[in-house]
Amino acid sequence: MRLPPFLTLTALEAAARHRSYSRAARELHVTHGAVSQQIRKLEDELGTKLFVRQGNAMVPTATGQRLADQVTTALAALHAGVDEARLAARGPLVISSSAAFASRWLVTRLERLARETDEPDLIVRAEDRVADLTTDGVDIALRFGCGVWPGVEAATLMIERIFPVCSPDFLVRHPIREPRDLLDAPLLRHVGLPWSMWLTAMGVDEAPRQQGLGFEDTALMLDTAAHGVGVALARSGLAERDLREGRLVRPFAGEVSVETGNHFVWRADSPKLARILKLRDWFLAETADLRAS
């Protein structure tokens, strides 16, 4: 047997609770006749009486009371679910980012982000792990990669470019005028970004003659370069702040675009989806020039 319509069940529950069709009708903002009709239809479908008149009261039968009690329990569960969903939708938006990207790129935009958006409650997590956006309480991830991850949506903020950077003092002490000059310079190496990628694109097929320091942490490598230890092969997004503030400089032009980039990632089934999409649009507007360059 199909489930009776929702209005029929709520009419039954309200009438049993008030012991009155009229008071049930006022609570549900319908007419007395509508409540009476819904209950009569349910009685016809079930083949049993659900209410009997006792004076001015409509008293539920034993069957009617049991059914009304079950509807009351179900309605309470529905209300609890709606309240839970409402609280989830109103909770803070949690953004996860790698520590390097947060400190080198995101931190310079947080003040403007707070000023230009109507999102009152943001939490930023700088963490060197991939948020799953399901069990860890994260709503948005700023990820570096190819832009395709299962189970989530992604919007490209910028495709990275790589180029050499060093401190102004280092450039004074090591006159570097062209890519080939780097073969004799101390090169700082990131384990995931080989110098050969950039040198080959610049037409330099020889291997560097100095084995410089190696790093797994990009931020630490850039800090080391800013202290004049050597030349680092930098990702454009992470070097932006240091270049703007003059801690690092580019010794010459010459950059290579790579297939990986920075992406805004979210779940399409998030209860906070409307707020997430507004924030996504802000990030896309913020990085429009970076995607065009």
Side-chain angles (χ1 to χ4, degrees), residues 93 113 116-120 122 140 264 266 272-286:
L93 284 181
L113 173 62
E116 295 180 358
T117 67
D118 57 2
E119 179 54 55
L122 288 175
I140 299 160
F264 185 103
W266 73 98
K272 305 173 188 176
L273 183 61
R275 294 162 60 199
I276 289 172
L277 294 182
K278 286 183 180 179
L279 205 56
R280 176 204 62 186
D281 292 344
W282 185 90
F283 273 92
L284 288 174
E286 182 70 14

Side-chain angles (χ1 to χ4, degrees), residues 11-83:
L12 167 74
E13 190 275 339
R17 182 160 33 85
H18 289 294
R19 294 179 178 252
S20 166
Y21 288 0
S22 296
R23 287 196 292 273
R26 285 196 294 271
E27 178 182 306
L28 299 175
H29 303 288
V30 297
T31 65
H32 175 284
V35 171
S36 177
Q37 182 183 35
Q38 292 297 324
I39 292 175
R40 187 165 55 250
K41 286 171 58 179
L42 185 56
E43 289 178 330
D44 291 342
E45 187 170 346
L46 297 177
T48 185
K49 291 289 290 182
L50 298 174
F51 287 87
V52 293
R53 178 176 292 279
Q54 292 183 3
N56 292 327
M58 296 300 296
V59 180
T61 64
T63 298
Q65 188 62 61
R66 282 195 300 271
L67 183 54
D69 289 343
Q70 291 172 330
V71 173
T72 298
T73 300
L75 288 174
L78 286 172
H79 285 303
V82 170
D83 289 342

Side-chain angles (χ1 to χ4, degrees), residues 158-203:
M158 53 185 149
I159 295 300
E160 291 278 20
R161 295 164 290 117
I162 58 174
F163 44 75
V165 295
C166 62
S167 71
D169 175 68
F170 181 92
L171 195 57
V172 171
R173 292 183 287 109
H174 299 79
I176 301 171
R177 298 181 179 85
E178 60 180 37
R180 184 169 295 277
D181 293 337
L182 292 176
L183 296 177
D184 294 309
L187 301 183
L188 307 180
R189 299 173 296 108
H190 189 279
V191 294
L193 194 61
W195 269 98
S196 58
M197 179 187 302
W198 184 86
L199 289 169
T200 299
M202 297 298 112

